[in-house]
Amino acid sequence: MSYVDEVMEKVKKRDGDQPEFIQAVTEVLNSLRPVIEKDEEKYRKMAILERITEPDRQIMFRVPWVDDNGQVQVNRGFRVQFNNAIGPYKGGLRLHPSVNLGIIKFLGFEQVFKNSLTTLPIGGGKGGSDFDPKGKSDREIMAFCQSFMTELCKYIGADVDVPAGDIGTGAREIGFMFGQYKRIRGMYEGVLTGKGLSYGGSLARTEATGYGLLYLTEEMVKCHGDKMEGKVIAVSGAGNVATYAIQKAQQLGAKVVTCSDSTGWIYDEDGIDVALLKEVKEVKRARLTEYAAARPSAKYFEKKDGEHGVWQYKVDIALPCATQNELDIEDAKMLVANGVKYVAEGANMPTTLDATEYFQKNNVPFVCGKASNAGGVATSALEMSQNSERLSWSFEEVDSKLKGIMVGIYHNIDDAAKEYGMEGNYVAGANIAGFKKVVDAMIAQGVC
Ligand code: NDP
């Protein structure tokens, strides 16, 4: 049995109850075959694949807090510190009822490669809780965040582990968590990113993941002899990533006709009105029905099982920006039948493995999230640099660094795919390029 298959078997046996983690490991290890097979005995002897698929540590803890009725609630908190070979652990905190250890592990594993691709000195980690922020008062959110940080603060630090936002964790939650860290630890340091501008946040961090996704997509489109101007785009999600992806796509001359949330989706033939979307989602924290009510060109559809949602329309580019496994094989077939030309992931692992393969078989250039959504964590690392320097850079400075990083990532993954005879396979390119740097560092640091 090949070394890759051996390790895949071990992971399936050990973590068989974590489907998302198995899915992520399968995708990565399969695409690393050409690299591993070149020097199989060396990697086997050093147990590189066993080490890279086992987190440095997994922390799970109780998060008790009191709701507005005086009732004590208990959630489960997680922090998985996956790999710090190239820098302090870095990765977001997800607050969503679906959160469990397997989901946090898959996200942490992906983060190792993504962070390596940014070329910045950051290792990979991820955390969160099964707490549902929806419908909670500001006081309840604060109570949860303070309790969560009371425990988490023992394991993080500016040079140890620097968490950030993710689904359900935005500027409000980061603010409450930072306040509690400062209070308990008695120190003011850049321990979290995604902070408010008045206390160490970076300009352009809010926009970074969505903007970065479009910078990379634009470069890919250009390198295929094409242009963004006039392209019709389907975006899913209506959160941080989706909103700023839509905004940048429009600035580049494209028209985005869809967005979605967990209950339904919008088709807006005139193109999504970003100011209205922000008002509905960021200010009112309301459903997309309110968007449709305020915009005559928009239609709202309730989400139903087995429907294609935002993926049923005739578009040139598809950008899944909501959550994992939201674009399946049937959606991929529909997009291809409708002539989709490019797909780039804004969310983490939004495309199922068979859907990814379907795009690749049909020669649709497809970029996986660990490359195309790396702009968020890259800008978080720029926030860490500014905090260390005690300086703040201008929006233009951060944005131009972000653009340089995303264009660089595209060429890096394109070159890595070519080097191993898989031209145009950006998934393999991303995994190989990300892996090589981390493994070089792991080997140099000995058995640890
Ligand atoms: P937000 O919480 O801001 O938005 C998430 C969006 O996805 C919301 O519109 C939400 O709908 C929708 N959504 C969440 N869960 C589901 C579900 N189960 N089914 C359908 N829709 C769902 O999160 P972000 O925009 O920050 O994150 C989106 C994705 O991008 C995630 O995969 C995240 O890990 C990834 N990512 C985020 C980065 C960042 O900088 N924020 C960086 C890199 C990756 P609703 O409003 O109804 O909850």
Side-chain angles (χ1 to χ4, degrees), residues 94 96 98 107 111 114 126 134 165-169 205-206 208-210 236-243 260-263 281 286-287 303 321-324 326 346-350 369 373-377:
R94 177 172 292 191
H96 194 272
S98 64
L107 290 164
Q111 197 82 44
K114 180 189 306 191
K126 197 83 186 185
K134 275 200 195 112
D166 190 68
I167 291 179
T169 308
R205 173 60 189 93
T206 307
T209 309
S236 62
N240 172 269
V241 180
T243 301
S260 64
D261 64 16
S262 46
T263 52
K281 282 292 171 185
R287 310 311 311 171
K303 184 174 161 183
C321 297
T323 193
Q324 65 270 6
E326 50 155 319
N348 285 314
M349 210 171 71
N373 72 28
V377 74

Side-chain angles (χ1 to χ4, degrees), residues 88-142:
Y89 307 105
K90 179 98 200 81
L93 297 171
R94 177 172 292 191
L95 301 183
H96 194 272
S98 64
V99 162
N100 57 39
L101 183 62
I103 288 186
I104 298 298
K105 270 177 73 182
F106 117 66
L107 290 164
F109 180 68
E110 292 273 300
Q111 197 82 44
V112 175
F113 301 90
K114 180 189 306 191
N115 293 3
S116 164
L117 285 173
T118 66
T119 69
L120 302 170
I122 38 178
K126 197 83 186 185
S129 170
D130 58 2
F131 172 75
D132 186 359
K134 275 200 195 112
K136 303 286 189 299
S137 68
D138 280 355
R139 194 209 60 79
E140 289 175 321
I141 297 281
M142 183 169 76

Side-chain angles (χ1 to χ4, degrees), residues 97-271:
S98 64
V99 162
N100 57 39
L101 183 62
I103 288 186
I104 298 298
K105 270 177 73 182
F106 117 66
L107 290 164
F109 180 68
E110 292 273 300
Q111 197 82 44
V112 175
F113 301 90
K114 180 189 306 191
N115 293 3
S116 164
L117 285 173
T118 66
T119 69
L120 302 170
I122 38 178
K126 197 83 186 185
S129 170
D130 58 2
F131 172 75
D132 186 359
K134 275 200 195 112
K136 303 286 189 299
S137 68
D138 280 355
R139 194 209 60 79
E140 289 175 321
I141 297 281
M142 183 169 76
F144 168 82
C145 290
Q146 290 181 337
S147 179
F148 182 78
M149 184 51 83
T150 300
E151 184 62 24
L152 185 70
C153 74
K154 299 169 189 165
Y155 311 103
I156 61 177
D159 293 313
V160 179
D161 181 354
V162 184
D166 190 68
I167 291 179
T169 308
R172 175 182 56 171
E173 292 74 19
I174 293 288
F176 291 147
M177 291 183 196
F178 185 72
Q180 186 72 352
Y181 180 87
K182 194 169 56 86
R183 193 169 173 215
I184 296 181
R185 298 293 297 267
M187 62 203 296
Y188 203 106
E189 59 169 358
V191 68
L192 290 164
T193 57
K195 300 187 291 298
L197 293 178
S198 57
Y199 60 97
S202 172
L203 284 162
R205 173 60 189 93
T206 307
E207 294 84 355
T209 309
Y211 277 25
L213 170 67
L214 267 296
Y215 291 143
L216 184 140
T217 305
E218 186 190 25
E219 189 65 13
M220 164 167 70
V221 168
K222 261 197 222 161
C223 291
H224 284 78
D226 203 351
K227 58 181 187 344
M228 286 297 287
E229 228 178 343
K231 289 280 180 292
V232 178
I233 301 183
V235 166
S236 62
N240 172 269
V241 180
T243 301
Y244 293 96
I246 296 170
Q247 187 172 71
K248 183 50 77 178
Q250 291 177 345
Q251 287 171 9
L252 296 174
K255 181 162 94 169
V256 180
V257 290
T258 65
C259 64
S260 64
D261 64 16
S262 46
T263 52
W265 77 91
I266 292 285
Y267 177 76
D268 188 339
E269 60 182 355
D270 286 355

Side-chain angles (χ1 to χ4, degrees), residues 10 81 99 140 164 171-172 185 280 304 391 445:
K10 276 188 203 162
Q81 298 179 330
V99 162
E140 289 175 321
R172 175 182 56 171
R185 298 293 297 267
V280 171
K304 289 194 197 92
L391 286 175
Q445 291 167 23

